[in-house]
Structures are given as structure tokens and as C-alpha cells.
Amino acid sequence: MNCKKCTIKAVIGLPRHNAAFCKACFNEFVLEQVTRAIKGERMFGRDDRILVAVSGGKDSLALWDILLKLGYKADALYVDLGIPGYSTKSREKAQRFADGVARTHEAKLLIHKVEEEEGAGIRELADLIHRPTCSTCGTIKRYQFNRAAVEQHYDVMATGHNLDDEASRLLGNVLHWQEEYLDKQGPSLPASVEGFAKKVKPLYRLSEREVAAYSVLNRIDYIVDECPMAKGSKMLLYKDVLNRLETESPGTKQAFYCGFLEKQARAPRQGSGQAQPAPASMAEKDRATLHPCATCSQPTTAEICSYCKMMARAKAGSTR
Amino acid sequence: MKVHLSHPERQVEVRGPKRVKDLLRDLNLIMEAHLVIRGDDLVTEDELLKDEDQVEIRPVISGGS
Ligand code: SF4
Ligand SMILES: [Zn+2]
Ligand SMILES: [Zn+2]
């Protein structure tokens, strides 16, 4: 198989683009796709300060690498979840990348330790409040990333979600008709209210395999092992199903997710059979329902935000 | 050839020569969810692997949120 552009031996075939690339042309393809995502979705500009959420995995480190290569100002935040055997290893990977690559671009790595601030590792916290580890983890990560972004005056927060992540999440939401979540599935979520950082996903045009290939080709040392809590997750099942479809007809994932984005951009939501006024934009809806948390003043739809509620329950649980 | 697999980590011995795509099929793995690495280099699905090659099949799909 030869490179479609320069005809030397290819290192990767991309059936959905009917292409194959050598290393140099593949890197160019990746940077092009990310640039297209950033510009097309108006994610950020040259002068914006970006905070990348890194986990030590392939997606987030590749994202940090790509943004720095493209000349953007991007620092990163790693949240240490305190999962024995996994957190230390993944943190080392993030640190190594920060010391080896990011430093030469004058970018820095911030670290948040859950055990220090929340008082226990993620698994103990989940036990205390009787909630699944991943949902506890999600609440803490969302909260801490947003807080770091807002308090340290970053203009936008970027995550390494790829096409497979977005397509599988969409599949899950559609299978259960969770229409209220569909609104938030875009690759660029505006900072709708004071205290909420803008959130973007610059890798949404690249498949998970493409992002992994970029990391391998560019010698990014990432953690290959999964977080042990991910085992048996629904997302893995959805991704597997989509990849089987993709194998039979290349381009399925992109058609599914990007088709959804186009539809969402074009069509006003249908109401109960009657003609409805144009739906309020998400920012307007957020402004109408969000206000500062009584405890920490980050925006929430309730009196007290879900993070503060969770921490209160954990405290009560641990003193019992 | 020695083939290194993950999740769970293990080594299997496979007789070469064999094309990448046939190796994956024999192991019941799909290309879209894996990268095949020979030595330090990525290889495409039509590449012919030889008996003396060191091969890693790396899963690329991760779960969680
Ligand atoms: S798998 Fe679950 S616990 Fe592990 S990082 Fe992902 S959300 Fe957190
Ligand atoms: Zn080329
Ligand atoms: Zn709060």
C-alpha cells in the first residue's frame, strides 16, 4: 500500500477516506483535520489561552501535542484520581510529556490530586456516597477542570474526545432517547454563563484509531492500559458495535455523528406536532436555568451543585 | 513470529509469512480497533509479516467517559 499523496510506502490505510498515507502525509492529514475542527466550529484563536484535560492516555496527549505544534497557547491539567496501580502510571506519562515536549513550547502541566483536596481516592469516595465510580469520577473531573479553567483565566477548555467517543455517546443517547443530552453533544460548547468555561473537542473529526496512530508515529509515550474501572462499560460495547459497522461500510461513524451535527445546526426542534417558535439557543437556556451554587458559587441548576452535594455526603459518610 | 497482545497481556506464536489482515482475522480482531506494529513501525493491512518479525497488536479503543 502506497501513500496517496507522495506514493512512497504507506504506514496507515484510511478506508473511510479511501486513502493511505506515509508518516509525513499522515501527520499533515491530522493537523489539517484538527485545524478544520478548530476553525469550522470557532473553537479558539491564536491569542486564546487553552487548558487541555490530560489523562496520560493517547487522545489527550496527542491533542496537547497537536495544539502546541499548531502554535496555540496550551497548558494542561491532570486530575490524579488516586486509583492504585493506574493513577501513578498515567500521571508519570503526563509528566514525562510535559517535561520532554511541552516545556520546549513553554507550556506547563497543572496537577490536581483528588486524595488531597477531596480527602480520599475516587473509589473510596464512590463507596462512601454509594454511587458508581465512573459517575463520581465524572462529577469530580468536570468540576475541577471547569474550576481550574475559570479561576486561572483560561479562555477555553479542550478535551481529547475523538470521533469514536462522540459517535458511541450519540448512539447511547439515541438508543435510550435521551433527547435532553443531545443538545450538549456538539464539539464546541459556549461559555453560556459567568463561571462556566467554554468547552471544545478538537479531535472530533479523527477516529480513535487515527489518534492512536498519530501517538505511535510521533513517539508519544502514553498509557496503553485502561483505567481499571472502564471494564465492561457500555461505551466499549457501543464502540465495538460501531467499529463492526465501520468495517463493513467505511465512513459509518463519521456519517452518523457529522450527520447529526448538520441536522442539529439546520433544523429547529419539532414540538408536539404544532409549529413551535425557534428553540432557545443552548446559551439562552443555560442562562435561564443556571445560577451560582450556594456553597462554592460555580454555576448549577440546583441550590447546591452536584459536586458540593457529593462532597457533603462523603463527609457525612466518613464520620459515621 | 512472536505476536504481543494486550487486554490481557500475552504472547502468541504464529507461523509466517502472513498478511496483517489475515493475522487479525485469524485472531478474530478487527482492524478498526487495532494498530499493528512491527518492531517500532506501524504497518498497513496488506503488509506481509515474516517468521522472524516481532509484532505487537495494540488495541486502540478505550472506555470510560
Ligand atoms: S473509567 Fe471511570 S473511573 Fe476511570 S477515568 Fe474513566 S470515568 Fe473515571
Ligand atoms: Zn506521503
Ligand atoms: Zn458547589
Side-chain angles (χ1 to χ4, degrees):
Chain A
M1 211 182 268
N2 287 333
C3 175
K4 196 178 132 187
K5 277 194 181 164
C6 66
T7 70
I8 65 169
K9 196 175 162 65
V11 294
I12 184 169
L14 302 180
R16 74 193 176 96
H17 291 290
N18 217 337
F21 291 126
C22 68
K23 180 182 167 184
C25 294
F26 179 71
N27 277 340
E28 205 174 292
F29 160 83
V30 167
L31 297 189
E32 260 166 35
Q33 290 296 320
V34 176
T35 302
R36 204 166 143 191
I38 294 169
K39 301 244 158 91
E41 298 288 330
R42 297 201 182 82
M43 292 184 177
F44 42 75
R46 289 277 155 217
D47 297 326
D48 286 328
R49 293 181 66 229
I50 305 158
L51 184 66
V52 182
V54 295
S55 67
K58 62 184 188 313
D59 303 292
S60 54
L61 290 183
L63 173 61
W64 199 9
D65 187 71
I66 292 166
L67 294 181
L68 293 174
K69 271 194 189 131
L70 288 171
Y72 288 104
K73 292 182 211 153
D75 290 338
L77 172 65
Y78 172 87
V79 171
D80 186 334
L81 302 167
I83 298 174
Y86 173 74
S87 291
T88 328
K89 242 174 146 182
S90 61
R91 183 176 158 173
E92 269 169 23
K93 302 287 184 191
Q95 192 65 56
R96 194 167 306 162
F97 184 86
D99 295 340
V101 180
R103 217 181 20 194
T104 63
H105 293 268
E106 284 161 43
K108 63 177 182 206
L109 177 69
L110 316 173
I111 288 178
H112 174 88
K113 279 194 101 168
V114 170
E115 264 166 346
E116 269 167 25
E117 183 157 332
E118 280 82 3
I122 196 80
R123 286 210 295 216
E124 297 76 56
L125 286 173
D127 276 352
L128 283 172
I129 62 173
H130 309 292
R131 258 180 53 188
T133 310
C134 289
S135 90
T136 310
C137 177
T139 303
I140 292 188
K141 281 198 291 199
R142 258 193 308 280
Y143 183 86
Q144 293 300 348
F145 278 119
N146 188 66
R147 193 168 97 181
V150 169
E151 284 182 359
Q152 306 195 41
H153 309 290
Y154 285 95
D155 298 291
V156 52
M157 186 189 129
T159 55
H161 292 95
N162 56 49
L163 178 60
D164 294 44
D165 292 322
E166 295 310 291
S168 60
R169 196 150 76 99
L170 178 60
L171 180 61
N173 286 338
V174 168
L175 285 175
H176 300 106
W177 289 116
Q178 285 172 309
E179 287 173 70
E180 66 279 17
Y181 290 128
L182 293 183
D183 260 4
K184 306 235 170 193
Q185 263 234 252
S188 182
L189 300 179
S192 43
V193 284
E194 185 70 20
F196 247 160
K198 177 176 180 174
K199 295 188 185 70
V200 298
K201 301 169 180 171
L203 301 184
Y204 85 95
R205 303 185 59 86
L206 295 167
S207 75
E208 191 145 6
R209 182 168 187 266
E210 289 156 6
V211 178
Y214 177 87
S215 297
V216 170
L217 287 169
N218 293 281
R219 308 267 183 262
I220 294 174
D221 180 18
Y222 67 89
I223 183 161
V224 177
D225 301 341
E226 278 254 52
C227 170
M229 300 299 120
K231 215 171 180 177
S233 89
K234 270 276 161 39
M235 280 308 150
L236 284 174
L237 176 61
Y238 297 151
K239 283 183 174 180
D240 185 50
V241 168
L242 286 170
N243 279 336
R244 279 167 201 281
L245 292 171
E246 182 78 22
T247 304
E248 293 304 316
S249 41
T252 301
K253 282 184 287 195
Q254 190 176 357
F256 180 51
Y257 183 60
C258 293
F260 160 77
L261 293 181
E262 276 161 34
K263 256 187 165 24
Q264 200 183 36
R266 241 182 300 129
R269 198 97 4 92
Q270 302 283 264
S272 49
Q274 283 179 334
Q276 296 260 320
S281 76
M282 215 167 58
E284 282 163 22
K285 256 192 267 170
D286 276 1
R287 261 194 292 278
T289 50
L290 291 171
H291 47 260
C293 164
T295 313
C296 72
S297 74
Q298 277 211 51
T300 170
T301 50
E303 174 73 16
I304 293 175
C305 77
S306 50
Y307 172 85
C308 289
K309 260 186 231 155
M310 207 174 83
M311 293 319 296
R313 275 175 64 190
K315 212 171 256 163
S318 64
T319 50
R320 213 173 286 150
Chain B
M1 72 190 89
K2 281 205 171 25
V3 181
H4 182 109
L5 297 155
S6 306
H7 309 178
E9 209 153 312
R10 68 216 125 104
Q11 289 256 3
V12 295
E13 191 57 50
V14 177
R15 273 267 292 281
K18 206 182 255 297
R19 295 217 181 268
V20 166
K21 116 162 102 218
D22 299 326
L23 173 65
L24 287 170
R25 207 197 32 224
D26 291 354
L27 294 169
N28 212 356
L29 300 172
I30 56 175
M31 194 75 194
E32 188 63 16
H34 298 88
L35 289 173
V36 179
I37 303 170
R38 178 178 56 202
D40 272 336
D41 302 315
L42 274 190
V43 288
T44 54
E45 61 191 70
D46 61 343
E47 191 71 16
L48 196 62
L49 300 169
K50 304 200 195 69
D51 242 352
E52 62 272 21
D53 285 344
Q54 285 272 358
V55 178
E56 179 191 351
I57 301 180
R58 186 180 293 193
V60 299
I61 305 302
S62 51
S65 56

